Amino acid sequence: MLNQITNNKNHSAINGRTFAIGDIHGHHLELLNLIHAIAPKQKDTLIFLGDYIDRGPYSRAVIDEIIALQGVCQVIMLKGNHEVFMVDAFTTENLKSRHNSTNSWMQYGGIETLQSYGLVPYEFLAQQLLSDKPTAKLDIPNAIREHVGLIQTLPIYHITDTHIFVHASPKLDIDIEDQDEEYLLWRKISKRDAALNYVHKSGKTIICGHTDQEDGMPKKLSNKNIVIDSGCYKTGWLTAIDVDSGQFIQASRDSYRWLDV
């Protein structure tokens, strides 16, 4: 059970701290408060687990904020399934496929993302449906083109000597490098994971997002498998974990709190 504590136990080391940050989903104010609480320094590392966009109102600002953080500390951005939605909508050349991708994206939060870039969603959808121009010729703001270009370069996992960082819940009996992208971007926790005691075959600790927790709290499936998607777009809490200490920090739009196990 998690208990709230009032002080920040600073576990900074010579090589800096490492924080993993869960699904943001366009909630810029919560991200700002989380960064304020962490107060990253040059040697610190922030690992973002994907799903920066959709559902919340400030997807563009979230991506801009993470880009700006690269001038403050070390930043690792991973790709989430919602970034796949966005990329498919803007890069698919086939007209019918592009329209289908855009329509699906809009059903899962793309409307709010388009609005954050100053676009009218249904005008954009009509353009996607009616234009026979290739995607590169569509009337798209430069900011979106730049962000889509960035997202296309993002890795889908990051591995250290002790940890695996990934957006979704990987299969536990397959090496990460050998898994289909679909598992690493879309897979939810399953009963099969419980049968393996929620421990990956590598013995490394998995830190992931994607499976949002209804109670707004991070979920320790085991000491080796931690889910930090606290459903910010529903619960109002964005979660990070200090990787070395195991301590959680959560931020809302007007406050933050440190949690201990």
Side-chain angles (χ1 to χ4, degrees), residues 3-224:
N3 300 304
Q4 182 170 345
I5 63 174
T6 58
N7 64 315
N8 171 3
K9 297 178 183 177
N10 192 333
H11 294 271
S12 60
I14 294 175
N15 294 326
R17 303 167 299 163
T18 299
F19 287 88
I21 297 172
D23 305 39
I24 304 168
H25 279 306
H27 285 79
H28 186 225
L29 297 178
E30 290 83 344
L31 175 61
L32 288 177
N33 273 336
L34 189 65
I35 298 304
H36 173 73
I38 293 172
K41 304 297 189 295
Q42 184 177 5
K43 291 185 178 181
D44 295 335
T45 299
L46 301 181
I47 302 174
F48 291 89
L49 300 182
D51 278 10
Y52 315 111
I53 63 169
D54 297 349
R55 293 178 170 150
Y58 303 115
S59 291
R60 176 182 177 177
V62 165
I63 295 178
D64 283 337
E65 191 69 39
I66 297 173
I67 292 171
L69 281 168
Q70 294 175 357
V72 176
C73 62
Q74 309 303 307
V75 172
I76 296 172
M77 293 179 70
L78 302 182
K79 188 184 299 181
N81 63 300
H82 280 262
E83 282 74 55
V84 173
F85 273 136
M86 184 180 189
V87 168
D88 286 349
F90 283 104
T91 63
T92 302
E93 292 295 342
N94 177 271
L95 177 61
K96 182 177 180 180
S97 297
R98 187 171 71 229
H99 173 256
N100 290 339
S101 295
T102 305
N103 190 48
S104 296
W105 179 41
M106 291 174 71
Q107 293 181 55
Y108 291 98
I111 289 175
E112 293 86 347
T113 297
L114 289 169
Q115 289 172 333
S116 77
Y117 288 93
L119 288 169
V120 178
Y122 291 101
E123 289 181 2
F124 178 76
L125 182 60
Q127 178 186 213
Q128 295 282 70
L129 175 63
L130 299 175
S131 176
D132 59 358
K133 297 178 182 179
T135 305
K137 299 295 185 181
L138 293 178
D139 183 18
I140 299 170
N142 286 334
I144 291 183
R145 292 191 186 279
E146 292 172 1
H147 287 176
V148 168
L150 169 65
I151 289 168
Q152 288 178 289
T153 70
L154 299 182
I156 59 174
Y157 60 83
H158 176 69
I159 299 178
T160 69
D161 290 340
T162 56
H163 286 75
I164 296 167
F165 301 92
V166 62
H167 177 65
S169 294
K171 288 193 171 184
L172 301 178
D173 55 351
I174 303 176
D175 290 332
I176 297 298
E177 299 90 340
D178 295 333
Q179 297 200 32
D180 292 341
E181 283 196 12
E182 181 179 353
Y183 300 150
L184 305 181
L185 292 168
W186 295 88
R187 186 175 181 273
K188 299 280 189 177
I189 302 163
S190 77
K191 292 181 179 179
R192 184 179 181 184
D193 299 332
L196 296 171
N197 298 315
Y198 299 108
V199 177
H200 187 257
K201 61 175 293 189
S202 67
K204 296 183 179 184
T205 300
I206 294 172
I207 299 182
C208 66
H210 187 59
T211 303
D212 56 301
Q213 302 302 306
E214 296 291 338
D215 61 1
M217 302 295 280
K219 180 76 170 180
K220 289 189 71 173
L221 299 170
S222 73
N223 287 332
K224 294 286 188 176

